């Protein structure tokens, strides 16, 4: 048994008070030990420990008392997602130029910030749609928005805005297809 430091005692007391607590500490600065002390103090409560990878989870499983269940974030997300969707994880990824062709997106010319123009290929447009959809997934928004679509900074601002507005319906479609249990690509 470790003798808790004053900081650890403060962390344990704050958590035991029932208030939401955020502890931020550098590598090796006793985060896990402090959490196990908290779990022991709150022995009549259930806890969940979430970590990024399996090694950390396996390590935590050895350290935490039985009232704490341990899982990776991905495993939590996986178990909360409909089987029809997780079953699609092994499907082939649709290449950006296939996506563009399926959506009827052809090459377009857009002005750059240095007064020239550049052609965006179907591959690039398909990638912008897929990336826009992926950025939406990592955002807090309820639906895809134009700013989720990444546009190369060399493209002139008004043209970039127009491009985003033009591509937004395709991002919405891409997301709808991604969330469709009967979808055929990943
Ligand atoms: N009160 C204490 N007294 C003495 N040693 C302690 C105390 N609390 C923790 N330690 C020790 O400090 C070391 C680092 O602690 P711990 O592994 O909990 O840190 P961590 O912040 O989780 O590290 P990491 O960033 O690697 O996950 C461990 O060897 C642990 O046993
Ligand atoms: Mg740790």
């Amino acid at each position: 048994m470790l003798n808790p430091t004053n900081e650890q005692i403060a962390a344990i007391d704050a958590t035991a008070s029932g208030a939401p607590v955020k502890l931020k500490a550098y590598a090796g600065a006793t985060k896990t030990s402090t959490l196990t002390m908290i779990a022991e103090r709150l022995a009549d409560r259930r806890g969940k420990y979430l970590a990024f990878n399996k090694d950390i989870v396996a390590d935590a499983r050895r350290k935490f008392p039985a009232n704490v269940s341990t899982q990776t974030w991905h495993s939590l997300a996986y178990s909360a997602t409909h089987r029809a969707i997780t079953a699609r994880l092994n499907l082939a990824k649709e290449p950006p130029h296939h996506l563009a062709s399926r959506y009827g997106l052809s090459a377009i010319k857009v002005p750059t910030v240095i007064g020239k123009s550049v052609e965006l290929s179907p591959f690039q447009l398909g990638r912008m749609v897929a990336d826009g959809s992926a950025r939406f997934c990592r955002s807090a928004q309820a639906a895809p928005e134009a700013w989720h679509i990444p546009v190369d900074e060399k493209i002139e601002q008004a043209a970039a805005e127009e491009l985003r507005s033009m591509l937004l319906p395709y991002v919405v479609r891409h997301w709808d297809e991604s969330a469709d249990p009967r979808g055929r690509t990943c």
Side-chain angles (χ1 to χ4, degrees):
M1 263 310 256
L2 297 167
N3 241 349
T5 63
N6 289 341
E7 280 143 319
Q8 286 171 324
I9 291 169
I12 297 163
D13 288 347
T15 314
S17 77
V21 174
K22 178 178 178 178
L23 301 172
K24 191 174 166 187
Y26 288 109
T30 83
K31 296 176 295 295
T32 306
S33 313
T34 307
L35 284 174
T36 57
M37 291 173 186
I38 290 169
E40 278 151 17
R41 168 80 168 267
L42 302 178
D44 56 338
R45 307 276 299 276
R46 285 185 302 151
K48 184 174 275 297
Y49 177 87
L50 294 168
F52 292 112
N53 68 49
K54 279 188 182 157
D55 287 347
I56 298 176
V57 166
D59 184 49
R61 213 159 268 165
R62 285 190 293 272
K63 292 176 177 164
F64 280 99
N67 58 325
V68 175
S69 68
T70 56
Q71 233 181 329
T72 60
W73 286 94
H74 278 128
S75 124
L76 179 72
Y78 191 89
S79 59
T81 304
H82 197 285
R83 280 289 299 276
I85 299 286
T86 54
R88 288 179 45 197
L89 285 172
N90 295 326
L91 295 176
K93 252 195 160 38
E94 184 174 35
H97 55 291
H98 285 195
L99 182 74
S101 147
R102 200 158 60 78
Y103 285 4
L105 289 167
S106 41
I108 46 171
K109 263 203 164 105
V110 286
T112 68
V113 286
I114 54 160
K116 294 191 173 172
S117 72
V118 66
E119 185 174 277
L120 296 174
S121 65
F123 183 96
Q124 286 169 305
L125 295 170
R127 163 143 301 159
M128 286 161 78
V129 170
D131 287 350
S133 182
R135 270 175 64 169
F136 155 63
C137 288
R138 294 193 298 271
S139 78
Q141 274 65 45
E145 292 181 15
W147 63 269
H148 290 131
I149 304 168
V151 175
D152 195 310
E153 60 192 15
K154 71 171 175 280
I155 295 167
E156 191 266 321
Q157 203 181 332
E161 306 267 303
E162 218 175 294
L163 190 58
R164 285 194 181 95
S165 307
M166 186 279 278
L167 290 176
L168 183 57
Y170 297 99
V171 173
V172 171
R173 178 174 165 187
H174 187 264
W175 164 246
D176 287 344
E177 287 176 358
S178 309
D180 181 354
R182 290 153 307 171
R184 279 166 298 136
T185 55
C186 181

